[in-house]
Amino acid sequence: MPDTIFDKIVRRELPADIVYEDDEILAFRDIHPQTPVHVLFVPKQKSLPTLNDCSAADAPLVGKLLLAAAAYAKREGFADAGYRCVVNCNRDGGQTVFYLHLHLLAGRQMPERMS
Ligand code: AMP
C-alpha cells in the first residue's frame, strides 16, 4: 500500500495542526478548510485506504472516529449548535487521500444537500 500524506502526518514526518490525539486516533485541521471548523480524524495504528476496506473487525475503530469527533465538538462547545461528519469514498465520493478519514465540519449552517 503506497504511503499517503496522512501516513506521514501520523508518523510525524510532516507537520499538521493537531487538535486531538489518543492511543488510536489522531485529529488535525484540514489544510483547506471548507467550514470555519474542519478537522480530520484518522486511525493511527492501521492504514485503511477507504471505508470499503473496513471489515467487521474494524467496527470499533470506525465507531471511535465518530465518537472522537463528537467528543471534540462537545469539548469545543459547538456540539449543540451542530456539525456534520463525512467520509468520502473513492472517485464518486470525492476521496483524494486514500487513508481512511472522517471530516468534521462545523461553524456555519450546512447546506441541506451535499450536491
Ligand atoms: P478527501 O477528499 O475526503 O480524501 O479529503 C482529503 C482532505 O485532506 C482534503 O480536505 C484536503 O484539504 C486535506 N489535506 C490534504 N493534505 C493535507 C495536509 N497536509 N494537512 C491537512 N489536511 C490535508
Side-chain angles (χ1 to χ4, degrees), residues 6 9 28-32 40 88 94-97 101 103:
F6 293 174
I9 287 173
F28 50 91
R29 291 188 199 283
D30 196 293
I31 205 165
H32 295 124
L40 303 172
N88 297 324
Q95 185 173 7
T96 58
V97 178
H101 55 282
H103 294 254

